[in-house]
Amino acid sequence: MEQVEVKCGKLTISNNNPFTLIAGPCQLENENHAIDVAKKLKEITDKLSIGLIYKTSFDKANRTSLKGKRGAGLEKSLPVFDKIRKDLGIPVLTDIHNVEQCALVSKHVDVLQIPAFLCRQTDLLIAAAKTGKVINVKKGQFISPDEMKHVVHKLGESGCEDVMLTERGTFFGYNRLVNDFIGLGDLMEIGPPVFFDVTHSTQLPGGGTNQTAGRPDRAALLARAATAAGVPALFLECHPDPINAASDASTMQRLDDMEEIIRSCASISQIASNTVMP
């Protein structure tokens, strides 16, 4: 199938284009924290000439426990999204969870993300498509890569021309996710740009007490493997102090470790074009 190019701000993203990164903390904790992380990621990606989309969530609606922190909420988050876009010139991505959020949130971000557990929710897909924004859909842990073509068709038939897909692992027994690299190739053949969600792929869903457990030590390995397999874009959550992060503390990468991971993956990605990293 013909590979699709997606325009996001100044970025052009496709399965045939140079390396692109979606990165940021799992949830928006406060304005200063969000701005600081965004600035550090911009510094790294500018140095390496890599496209960056900043990711953070105003609400995390699928916490393991009722005690889990949900996020700063819409009212506090939307002005922060505006500031990152205006002051730093970085496209912003955030999750939406219901139809009512789509039109409102779309005015403040560049990419609307459909969470994995909601990837087949037709009404949500239609409402997101009608905003005219780029839509990134996380592949559900419960469906095959090939089934994502139905999601792409729903969005296309609802008027969305800019679709991206993100692989984040598939359920394997209890409390385990696995990454099917043959299936990853199938996902890329659907057409839209494919991101590989490194950090969520290291999760052990339901494996912790009151929060999801994970194997963050395997993130760099997965990132390099996915890039070597031909995935041109990565999704990496990061935090200055992961152990004290409001959510996904067990899988997020240390912000200070991001440059090494990104540099190595970008170098792998660029081997085919015989270019050298700055």
Side-chain angles (χ1 to χ4, degrees):
M1 181 176 290
E2 180 182 355
Q3 294 300 304
V4 177
E5 286 193 344
V6 169
K7 303 289 185 180
C8 182
K10 297 179 181 178
L11 304 179
T12 300
I13 307 165
S14 82
N15 292 326
N16 297 323
N17 275 14
F19 189 81
T20 305
L21 177 71
I22 294 176
C26 181
Q27 64 175 254
L28 197 155
E29 298 181 10
N30 58 65
E31 179 177 324
N32 288 338
H33 180 268
I35 298 296
D36 288 347
V37 174
K39 284 182 177 178
K40 178 63 175 178
L41 289 170
K42 186 176 189 300
E43 176 186 318
I44 294 170
T45 52
D46 281 353
K47 182 194 302 185
L48 301 177
S49 300
I50 292 169
L52 171 66
I53 299 173
Y54 185 75
K55 180 270 168 186
T56 194
S57 300
F58 62 86
D59 180 25
K60 302 300 293 185
N62 61 340
R63 298 295 83 197
T64 300
S65 167
L66 289 175
K67 298 176 182 178
K69 295 180 180 179
R70 295 269 306 252
L74 265 178
E75 185 176 344
K76 292 182 179 179
S77 298
L78 297 183
V80 179
F81 297 158
D82 292 337
K83 188 167 186 178
I84 292 172
R85 297 171 77 201
K86 179 180 178 181
D87 294 354
L88 300 181
I90 304 172
V92 171
L93 172 153
T94 198
D95 301 286
I96 41 96
H97 303 92
N98 59 56
V99 169
E100 291 72 24
Q101 291 173 349
C102 293
L104 175 60
V105 176
S106 68
K107 299 173 184 176
H108 303 271
V109 301
D110 302 272
V111 184
L112 295 176
Q113 179 163 280
I114 309 294
F117 282 119
L118 299 176
C119 71
R120 293 185 60 174
Q121 295 297 102
T122 300
D123 289 344
L124 183 60
L125 292 169
I126 292 172
K130 288 181 178 178
T131 66
K133 291 292 181 176
V134 176
I135 308 299
N136 182 45
V137 188
K138 290 285 196 77
K139 182 186 75 65
Q141 302 93 318
F142 45 87
I143 65 175
S144 69
D146 186 61
E147 289 175 84
M148 287 298 287
K149 65 176 180 256
H150 303 304
V151 175
V152 173
H153 291 157
K154 284 182 183 179
L155 288 167
E157 291 170 5
S158 301
C160 180
E161 298 181 355
D162 294 318
V163 180
M164 305 189 303
L165 304 175
T166 296
E167 159 66 15
R168 51 123 335 127
T170 300
F171 283 138
F172 181 75
Y174 294 103
N175 310 130
R176 282 295 302 272
L177 294 173
V178 296
N179 296 110
D180 172 12
F181 280 81
I182 291 176
L184 195 59
D186 295 340
L187 195 62
M188 287 189 285
E189 285 186 353
I190 294 175
V194 171
F195 283 78
F196 181 85
D197 186 341
V198 178
T199 40
H200 286 102
S201 290
T202 67
Q203 281 185 343
L204 303 175
T209 301
N210 292 329
Q211 65 180 14
T212 295
R215 292 292 306 274
D217 55 305
R218 296 301 190 220
L221 182 154
L222 279 178
R224 292 192 298 268
T227 309
V231 176
L234 295 180
F235 182 111
L236 269 162
E237 288 188 336
C238 56
H239 193 283
D241 184 19
I243 197 169
N244 290 311
S247 59
D248 283 2
S250 61
T251 57
M252 276 197 288
Q253 296 299 291
R254 288 179 67 248
L255 186 59
D256 287 345
D257 295 335
M258 286 290 283
E259 181 170 351
E260 181 180 353
I261 297 173
I262 297 167
R263 177 181 288 275
S264 64
C265 291
S267 295
I268 292 170
S269 179
Q270 294 190 5
I271 286 175
S273 59
N274 295 316
T275 56
V276 179
M277 293 302 299

